[in-house]
Amino acid sequence: MTRVSIDEYPVADSAAGPYALAAGADGALWFTLVHGGRIGRLVPGEEPTSHRLDPACGPTVITPGPDRALWFTEYRAHRIGRITVDGDGTAWFTEWGGNRVGAITPDGSLTVHGLPTPHSEPHGIAPGPVGALWTALKIGALARITPADGAP
């Protein structure tokens, strides 16, 4: 039998539920905390960091994408999330039932913005030209979101 060494690295309390992990393009290990509503990052020898999500979203599977970002499932929220390995980008999302769009900064700050038309139900969000973001609305329209310089 081959001899192995196994080291354990605490990343959260057991109630947070570390669930899955993936190697990121930055060389770090990225992991989900299914009960803690967070995505974590670990470089052995350094303190782990984590990024807050909706606490009830239930992040589970995480995998690297072709764009150097990590993609993860939110099984309770029925969504797919994306986080950059650079940690220098704001992640934008839609709240279909809440009629809002929002942003999560790398430090975990959350900002939401209500849409002007009630019950427009935003679906998906994508970057467009000149720094704007776009979302499709159930009311038969597209919405352009133009963040102020440096603000989510």
Side-chain angles (χ1 to χ4, degrees):
M1 178 176 196
T2 304
R3 207 162 163 86
V4 299
S5 172
I6 299 175
D7 299 316
E8 294 181 356
Y9 296 86
V11 294
D13 64 26
S14 60
Y19 188 86
L21 58 88
D26 60 347
L29 294 172
W30 290 78
F31 55 92
T32 58
L33 296 169
V34 66
H35 302 302
R38 300 178 82 78
I39 299 295
R41 180 179 182 272
L42 175 69
V43 174
E46 296 180 12
E47 287 294 314
T49 58
S50 66
H51 304 273
R52 184 177 50 142
L53 305 171
D54 173 351
C57 73
T60 53
V61 178
I62 188 167
T63 188
D67 58 354
R68 294 184 37 90
L70 287 121
W71 293 80
F72 54 92
T73 58
E74 296 179 6
Y75 89 96
R76 286 191 210 118
H78 308 289
R79 295 184 297 223
I80 294 180
R82 176 183 181 271
I83 189 165
T84 65
V85 297
D86 303 340
D88 65 355
T90 297
W92 284 84
F93 61 91
T94 61
E95 287 186 9
W96 175 77
N99 205 51
R100 304 184 298 184
V101 296
I104 301 173
T105 63
D107 69 1
S109 298
L110 179 69
T111 306
V112 293
H113 307 279
L115 296 173
T117 304
H119 310 292
S120 54
E121 299 178 11
H123 292 273
I125 195 162
V130 197
L133 297 143
W134 292 82
T135 186
L137 305 176
K138 186 179 177 185
I139 59 171
L142 299 177
R144 178 181 173 167
I145 300 106
T146 307
D149 288 340

